[in-house]
């Protein structure tokens, strides 16, 4: 077997710096805060940390609107703080991975400020400018991903500019070689600082179609989602191959692209030997609740139009659909490329609320999800708080939400004819703020996230007295202890990092079961996603010892609700 790379064997932990640890008392997290928690991450067995953007930004989209690609936002600290973080992390065997947001910049970026002045300035062509239609309206009917038109009028220049996301996030013009060169330079700046790789944001949108045409309306607003019009457009791979050549060549680093719109059968052009990245985040298993292709907007039948009271996302799809999506991704990366396993990130609701039935015990659900995460084939990504069993929040009114996309989703739902209560229901289920509440370090005020008097920028979840790192570290039955156990188990069993994947019990709507086989050794993971007891078939249990069970007590022939187990090789 070919030797595996560090990022294939390791575990990656995603940090949302604004919510991780505040050392200045400002109410928002900072880089010294991350440095102060590196021992916690080392103890968890983390090999690399993916930092969401820490660059200077007006923070309209919490840093995904970048005003300077080679700086640090003062609210996070200084460049010295960043250098210290890289050095201290390295001492603990942890590599830092940065987030590159290259589809768009902030409208406060110097490039945009210049570009918008007139049609002849040196950067006039750095963004995507178009004339109005003869009646003065936007060039096309495209709806931005955060809601509203994807075009904003600029009085100064007398033209519209395109933004796939918020108006404050104008799309860069990748057709212009100077733009590409400037972006590659920015990436190399961070490599020179000792960063080990990149997560590359919204990368499937960088190539726009040759012609800009109206799309078929997919909502009552008469608009067409911009992602239907611009995601994964022919020619994109030429840009990305150049990017790879210019930035990655000669470095031992890793890359993972965020890739909405790339189907599993296209993966061979994107990852592996002939591809451009090492891994690709694709979302087939995360978007089961939505109408086809829609992101963050509109739950699919039978959910759309129903009262949302008592509803959970998993009411909208069957476990077999989730399993099929995961197995398809496993198959697509079997011989080529590598799979990033994730069930949470800063854009998604918490997995305990996303993938389990209403009424599921959060702690058990968190352990069940962890078992899938750490025993599937690929690199596990843990999102901060997931290892503690964080759950969604549900604030009463839209004004309490910070997430720009939640506001767009709310407005969109109202326009579609949903009641304000139903619109809030969508927000509760899918708001990105669910993932962004502050880390819960201990049971003291504000969960130890901030030392100061300032209020945390988002409220701390009210379960913090029980769900927090300090309490859980002391409790052998906690979610955190289960993570530690699984991480250790993964380290000791090469089947999990290098073995093949095979789905078992594919028809079951209650249990996700799969085998990981390396040579003669075969581990079997079984996870009960339901609230029922399930008797496992003999083919799975006979002659096999239970090596791990989340149920704690003596595990018998019957799988308890939400129980996760790993069986060892058959001894018959
Ligand atoms: C990606 C990020 C998301 C951000 C968007 C625009 O999807 O993950 O947080 O809002 O891109 O940059």
């Amino acid at each position: 077997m070919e030797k595996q790379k560090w990022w294939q064997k390791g575990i990656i932990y995603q940090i949302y710096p604004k919510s991780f640890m505040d050392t200045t008392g400002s109410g928002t997290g900072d880089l010294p805060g991350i440095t102060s928690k590196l021992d916690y991450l080392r103890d968890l067995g983390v090999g690399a940390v993916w930092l969401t953007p820490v660059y200077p930004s007006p923070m309209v989209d919490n840093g995904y609107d970048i005003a300077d690609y080679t700086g640090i936002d003062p609210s996070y600290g200084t460049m010295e703080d960043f250098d210290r973080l890289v050095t201290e992390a390295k001492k603990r065997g942890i590599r830092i991975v940065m987030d590159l947001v290259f589809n768009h910049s902030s409208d406060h970026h110097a490039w945009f400020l210049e570009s918008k002045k007139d049609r002849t300035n040196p950067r006039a062509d750095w963004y995507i400018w178009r004339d109005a239609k003869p009646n003065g309206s936007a060039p096309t009917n495209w709806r931005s991903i955060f809601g509203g038109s994807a075009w904003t009028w600029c009085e100064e220049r007398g033209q519209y500019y395109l933004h796939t996301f918020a108006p404050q996030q104008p799309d860069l013009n990748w057709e212009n070689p100077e733009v590409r060169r400037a972006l590659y330079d920015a990436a190399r700046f961070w490599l020179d600082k000792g960063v080990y790789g990149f997560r590359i944001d919204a990368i499937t949108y960088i190539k726009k179609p040759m012609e800009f045409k109206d799309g078929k309306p997919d909502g009552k607003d008469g608009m067409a989602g911009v992602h239907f019009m611009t995601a994964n457009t022919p020619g994109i791979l030429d840009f990305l191959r150049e990017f790879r050549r210019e930035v990655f060549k000669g470095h031992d680093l890793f890359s993972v692209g965020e890739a909405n719109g790339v189907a599993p059968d296209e993966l061979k052009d994107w990852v592996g030997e002939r591809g451009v990245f090492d891994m690709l985040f694709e979302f087939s298993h995360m978007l089961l609740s939505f109408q086809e292709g829609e992101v963050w907007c509109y739950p699919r039948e039978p959910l759309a139009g129903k009262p949302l009271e008592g509803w959970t996302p998993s009411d909208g799809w069957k476990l077999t659909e989730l399993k099929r999506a995961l197995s398809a991704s496993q198959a697509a990366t079997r011989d080529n490329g590598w799979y990033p396993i994730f069930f949470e990130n800063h854009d998604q609701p918490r997995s305990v609320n996303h993938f389990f039935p209403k009424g599921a015990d959060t702690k058990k659900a968190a352990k069940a999800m962890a078992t899938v995460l750490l025993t599937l084939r690929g690199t596990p990504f843990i999102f901060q708080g997931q290892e503690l069993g964080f759950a969604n929040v549900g604030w009463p009114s839209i004004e309490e939400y910070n997430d720009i996309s939640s506001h767009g989703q709310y407005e969109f739902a109202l326009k579609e004819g949903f009641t304000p209560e139903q619109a809030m229901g969508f927000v509760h289920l899918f708001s990105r703020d669910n993932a962004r509440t502050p880390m819960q370090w201990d049971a003291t005020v504000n969960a130890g996230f901030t030392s100061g008097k300032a209020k945390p920028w988002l409220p701390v979840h009210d379960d913090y007295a029980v769900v927090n790192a300090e309490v859980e570290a002391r409790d052998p039955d906690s979610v955190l202890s289960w993570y530690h156990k699984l991480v250790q188990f993964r380290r000791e069993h090469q089947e999990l990092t290098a073995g093949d994947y095979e789905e078992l019990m594919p028809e079951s709507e209650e249990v996700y079961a799969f085998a990981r086989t390396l040579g003669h050794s075969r581990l079997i993971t079984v996870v009960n996603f339901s609230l029922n007891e399930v008797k496992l078939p003999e083919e799975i249990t006979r002659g096999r010892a239970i090596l791990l069970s989340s149920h704690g007590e003596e595990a018998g022939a019957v799988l308890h609700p939400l129980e996760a187990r790993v069986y060892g090789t058959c001894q018959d």
Side-chain angles (χ1 to χ4, degrees):
M1 192 187 55
E2 217 181 298
K3 201 168 166 307
Q4 288 191 305
K5 303 246 173 48
W6 64 266
W7 45 265
Q8 291 178 300
K9 288 185 289 193
I11 288 165
I12 301 187
Y13 187 92
Q14 184 192 349
I15 289 185
Y16 200 67
K18 200 167 176 181
S19 303
F20 196 65
M21 181 65 200
D22 170 22
T23 58
T24 63
S26 63
T28 65
D30 46 55
L31 293 171
I34 299 173
T35 307
S36 75
K37 296 293 182 186
L38 285 170
D39 288 348
Y40 170 82
L41 299 176
R42 180 200 51 207
D43 295 348
L44 187 58
V46 168
V49 162
W50 151 27
L51 282 188
T52 61
V54 289
Y55 318 99
S57 164
M59 301 284 169
V60 170
D61 188 19
N62 285 331
Y64 282 92
D65 45 329
I66 298 175
D68 172 3
Y69 283 101
T70 54
I72 295 290
D73 192 87
S75 68
Y76 290 129
T78 61
M79 195 55 90
E80 287 70 48
D81 292 331
F82 179 81
D83 292 336
R84 198 168 314 120
L85 170 62
V86 172
T87 312
E88 289 299 317
K90 207 176 280 177
K91 279 188 201 157
R92 292 163 178 83
I94 298 173
R95 296 164 155 103
I96 300 294
V97 168
M98 299 292 270
D99 208 317
L100 293 183
V101 188
F102 280 179
N103 175 66
H104 46 269
S105 73
S106 159
D107 62 343
H108 287 212
H109 197 295
W111 300 341
F112 188 74
L113 296 178
E114 190 173 355
S115 189
K116 74 176 202 179
K117 276 192 194 142
D118 51 48
R119 302 180 190 198
T120 52
N121 71 74
R123 294 212 162 84
D125 191 30
W126 277 45
Y127 293 82
I128 301 187
W129 296 97
R130 289 288 184 280
D131 291 333
K133 279 184 180 163
N135 67 3
S137 64
T140 66
N141 69 342
W142 301 349
R143 185 194 313 107
S144 79
I145 288 182
F146 292 160
S149 174
W151 296 96
T152 291
W153 176 253
C154 172
E155 198 54 52
E156 226 174 321
R157 174 160 163 155
Q159 277 187 312
Y160 280 93
Y161 65 89
L162 180 70
H163 49 89
T164 300
F165 297 89
Q168 296 86 346
Q169 295 168 297
D171 281 32
L172 285 154
N173 179 15
W174 273 69
E175 300 295 338
N176 182 332
E178 285 177 38
V179 171
R180 305 204 299 272
R181 210 168 308 133
L183 295 173
Y184 304 155
D185 283 348
R188 283 191 291 252
F189 172 88
W190 294 102
L191 291 179
D192 292 343
K193 287 207 153 282
V195 152
Y196 279 91
F198 301 110
R199 177 261 188 186
I200 300 133
D201 184 73
I203 197 64
T204 42
Y205 302 116
I206 58 170
K207 174 86 185 178
K208 313 300 184 227
M210 297 302 280
E211 250 189 292
F212 285 12
K213 291 192 208 142
D214 279 352
K216 190 166 154 275
D218 55 46
K220 293 190 183 131
D221 58 4
M223 292 189 191
V226 64
H227 48 287
F228 292 127
M229 312 308 297
T230 61
N232 196 6
T233 299
I236 189 170
L237 287 164
D238 296 335
F239 286 156
L240 293 176
R241 286 186 189 119
E242 179 187 88
F243 172 75
R244 184 183 171 86
R245 227 177 21 247
E246 294 289 322
V247 178
F248 298 163
K249 220 171 149 188
H251 291 276
D252 170 30
L253 50 79
F254 117 100
S255 59
V256 55
E258 187 202 27
N260 260 324
V262 177
D265 61 355
E266 292 175 287
L267 271 182
K268 60 183 183 325
D269 294 326
W270 287 79
V271 292
E273 283 296 291
R274 286 175 39 216
V276 283
F277 300 124
D278 295 315
M279 299 189 247
L280 216 59
F281 285 127
E282 52 91 13
F283 291 81
S284 52
H285 64 300
M286 300 301 284
L287 294 175
L288 296 169
S289 303
F290 293 92
Q291 302 216 1
E292 205 172 334
E294 274 286 357
V295 196
W296 299 321
C297 276
Y298 200 45
R300 77 186 213 194
E301 297 294 346
L303 307 167
K306 291 226 172 125
L308 285 161
E309 198 53 43
W311 190 90
T312 85
S314 65
D315 292 341
W317 39 264
K318 297 189 174 130
L319 184 67
T320 44
E321 292 177 84
L322 173 65
K323 298 197 294 185
R324 216 174 296 138
L326 290 170
S327 289
S329 304
Q330 291 281 312
T333 46
R334 201 185 86 129
D335 300 320
N336 180 64
W338 193 248
Y339 184 61
I341 318 160
F342 76 102
F343 298 104
E344 292 190 18
N345 66 28
H346 64 293
D347 294 330
Q348 300 290 338
R350 291 294 182 173
S351 56
V352 294
N353 302 97
H354 194 164
F355 294 103
F356 296 89
K358 186 157 177 69
D361 177 277
T362 306
K363 190 166 138 185
K364 288 184 182 157
K367 290 183 183 179
M369 204 77 247
T371 311
V372 179
L373 179 70
L374 287 150
T375 63
L376 271 181
R377 181 170 185 277
T379 298
F381 281 72
I382 300 173
F383 177 65
Q384 67 180 49
Q386 186 175 0
E387 78 282 15
L388 301 174
F390 272 28
N392 282 354
V393 288
W395 301 319
S397 86
I398 188 67
E399 282 76 48
E400 286 161 88
Y401 283 79
N402 170 281
D403 173 13
I404 186 169
S405 86
S406 300
H407 290 266
Q409 182 185 40
Y410 182 79
E411 291 303 319
F412 182 72
L414 293 184
K415 274 195 210 136
E416 289 294 299
F418 291 98
T419 65
E421 291 72 36
Q422 287 174 322
M424 267 327 282
F426 296 150
V427 170
H428 288 159
L429 292 169
F430 298 112
S431 173
R432 304 187 300 175
D433 283 347
N434 285 312
R436 299 176 179 184
T437 60
M439 264 300 267
Q440 295 164 200
W441 293 109
D442 57 40
T444 63
V445 67
N446 291 325
F449 161 70
T450 170
S451 53
K453 300 227 165 23
K455 267 197 1 208
W457 76 280
L458 273 189
V460 174
H461 197 293
D462 54 18
D463 64 9
Y464 76 93
V466 184
V467 177
N468 71 62
E470 202 229 351
V471 165
E472 294 196 31
R474 281 190 273 114
D475 173 7
D477 187 43
S478 67
V479 176
L480 182 62
S481 297
W482 183 246
Y483 266 88
H484 278 273
K485 221 175 273 174
L486 283 170
V487 168
Q488 185 59 27
F489 186 80
R490 197 169 179 276
R491 230 181 243 145
E492 290 161 2
H493 291 84
Q494 227 203 333
E495 300 90 322
L496 296 181
T497 39
D500 289 339
Y501 165 91
E502 182 197 346
E503 191 185 333
L504 309 172
M505 302 174 67
E507 309 297 328
S508 172
E509 294 294 358
E510 293 170 317
V511 174
Y512 184 22
F514 54 86
R516 301 295 317 279
T517 309
L518 188 66
H520 295 297
S521 175
R522 182 172 165 94
L523 298 181
I524 295 180
T525 296
V526 285
V527 178
N528 188 355
F529 274 76
S530 81
L531 303 183
N532 310 323
E533 294 195 337
V534 180
K535 185 154 171 19
L536 290 170
E538 277 221 353
E539 304 89 88
I540 288 187
T541 56
R542 205 187 48 229
R544 292 178 196 281
I546 299 172
L547 305 183
L548 278 180
S549 160
S550 65
H551 196 66
E553 298 154 33
E554 194 59 18
V558 170
L559 202 57
H560 297 90
L562 306 173
E563 183 181 351
R565 288 184 191 169
V566 181
Y567 283 90
T569 299
C570 184
Q571 300 300 332
D572 276 1

